[in-house]
């Protein structure tokens, strides 16, 4: 059973920068895992932010960026705003019998 | 614009089945592979499986094999997910999520608003 691991929680000051990571129990995350990142606020459906490691949707604010960092997928929030307080999930592609696996989510608190 | 509108909340007894719909609009129906995801109360997102809108080919993760059936009705641009043998652990919000597979990016793009399924005796 493949496990995708994210930091449970992170705290960042307004205007600051925070990096969330997404690790795979199978080894280093590469572009072939097509990392997707989602933001979810309480009581709302998830919203897609990043696809295929670093590509932004037309609605994704410029302060969000995706990358690969030290064998993990990463989501960096720069110039954080209070409205960025949310849960963030990564999703990795494995194909086969377990095609996609979500990370456990990172709760980002802006304080 | 692309919209996914799901059916309303359901309350079911243990052992029953539930069928959730996801009506699409604003794009060519065959342009999005449709995935289904669920979220138990206070928990994270869990991937269930997906269906190809063109071929109807389905892929479910092993833990749902035998209990889940995903279908689509191209005439009304709607996807369905049916889950049988419901247990209390199946209480969750169920989401449809569209992957734009017009290119090779595996781009999750849009989400339904979610359907709360409550399993209770």
């Amino acid at each position: 059973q493949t496990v995708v691991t994210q930091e449970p929680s992170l705290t960042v000051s307004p205007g600051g920068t925070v990096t969330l990571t997404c690790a795979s129990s199978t080894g280093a995350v590469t572009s072939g895992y097509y990392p997707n990142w989602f933001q979810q606020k309480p009581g709302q459906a998830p919203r897609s932010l990043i696809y295929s490691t670093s590509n932004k949707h037309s609605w994704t604010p410029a302060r969000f960026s995706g990358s690969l960092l030290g064998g993990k997928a990463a989501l960096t929030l720069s110039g954080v705003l209070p409205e960025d307080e949310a849960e963030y999930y990564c999703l990795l592609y494995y194909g086969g019998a377990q095609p996609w696996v979500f990370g456990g989510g990172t709760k980002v608190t802006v304080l | 614009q692309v919209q996914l509108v799901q059916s309303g909340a359901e309350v079911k007894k243990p052992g029953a089945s539930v069928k959730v719909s996801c009506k699409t609009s604003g794009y060519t129906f065959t342009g999005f592979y449709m995935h289904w995801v669920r979220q138990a109360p206070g928990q994270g997102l869990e991937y269930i499986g997906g269906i190809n809108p063109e071929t109807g080919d389905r892929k479910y993760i092993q833990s749902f094999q035998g209990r889940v059936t995903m279908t689509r009705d191209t005439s009304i641009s709607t996807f369905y997910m049916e889950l049988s043998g419901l247990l209390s652990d199946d209480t969750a919000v169920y989401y449809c999520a569209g992957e734009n597979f017009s290119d090779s990016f595996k781009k999750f793009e849009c989400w339904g608003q979610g359907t709360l399924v409550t399993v209770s005796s």
Side-chain angles (χ1 to χ4, degrees):
Chain A
Q1 182 84 349
T2 302
V3 176
V4 176
T5 302
Q6 298 182 242
E7 298 85 1
S9 64
L10 293 168
T11 300
V12 59
S13 300
T17 297
V18 65
T19 297
L20 291 61
T21 66
C22 175
S24 172
S25 62
T26 61
V29 176
T30 65
S31 59
Y33 287 80
Y34 300 93
N36 278 256
W37 289 92
F38 308 95
Q39 177 192 65
Q40 187 180 35
K41 296 184 178 179
Q44 296 183 16
R47 181 174 77 131
S48 299
L49 289 177
I50 299 286
Y51 62 95
S52 204
T53 304
S54 58
N55 295 277
K56 300 179 188 183
H57 294 281
S58 59
W59 55 83
T60 304
R63 62 185 181 275
F64 291 87
S65 62
S67 64
L68 296 175
L69 202 62
K72 301 177 185 181
L75 176 71
T76 299
L77 288 64
S78 306
V80 169
L81 301 176
E83 67 214 50
D84 297 332
E85 186 163 291
E87 193 87 23
Y88 292 84
Y89 293 93
C90 67
L91 177 64
L92 299 181
Y93 177 73
Y94 293 86
Q98 198 176 15
W100 292 94
V101 181
F102 280 99
T106 297
K107 180 172 173 54
V108 171
T109 300
V110 181
L111 209 56
Chain B
Q1 90 252 26
V2 176
Q3 277 198 304
L4 307 181
V5 179
Q6 298 184 221
S7 48
E10 303 262 13
V11 179
K12 297 290 183 181
K13 293 196 182 307
S17 297
V18 68
K19 191 170 187 176
V20 179
S21 67
C22 173
K23 181 163 177 59
T24 71
S25 62
Y27 73 97
T28 303
F29 182 69
T30 52
F32 280 70
Y33 188 99
M34 196 58 65
H35 302 271
W36 290 88
V37 174
R38 75 178 184 181
Q39 186 170 37
Q43 302 300 308
L45 301 173
E46 180 181 21
Y47 184 80
I48 299 171
I51 180 169
N52 184 313
E54 285 185 275
T55 64
D57 288 344
R58 296 154 280 197
K59 181 161 274 189
Y60 313 135
I61 68 167
Q62 190 168 12
S63 54
F64 288 96
Q65 293 270 5
R67 282 212 304 145
V68 70
T69 304
M70 294 176 187
T71 55
R72 89 272 191 238
D73 186 335
T74 58
S75 68
I76 56 171
S77 302
T78 300
F79 293 89
Y80 302 92
M81 186 216 58
E82 184 169 19
L83 189 62
S84 62
L86 289 171
L87 307 168
S88 58
D89 285 352
D90 292 318
T91 294
V93 176
Y94 289 77
Y95 295 102
C96 54
E99 175 199 341
N100 187 333
F101 69 144
S102 61
D103 51 39
S104 60
F105 285 113
K106 298 198 183 301
K107 182 195 306 182
F108 276 68
E109 191 163 308
C110 50
W111 292 72
Q113 83 276 19
T115 296
L116 175 61
V117 175
T118 303
V119 183
S120 173
S121 55

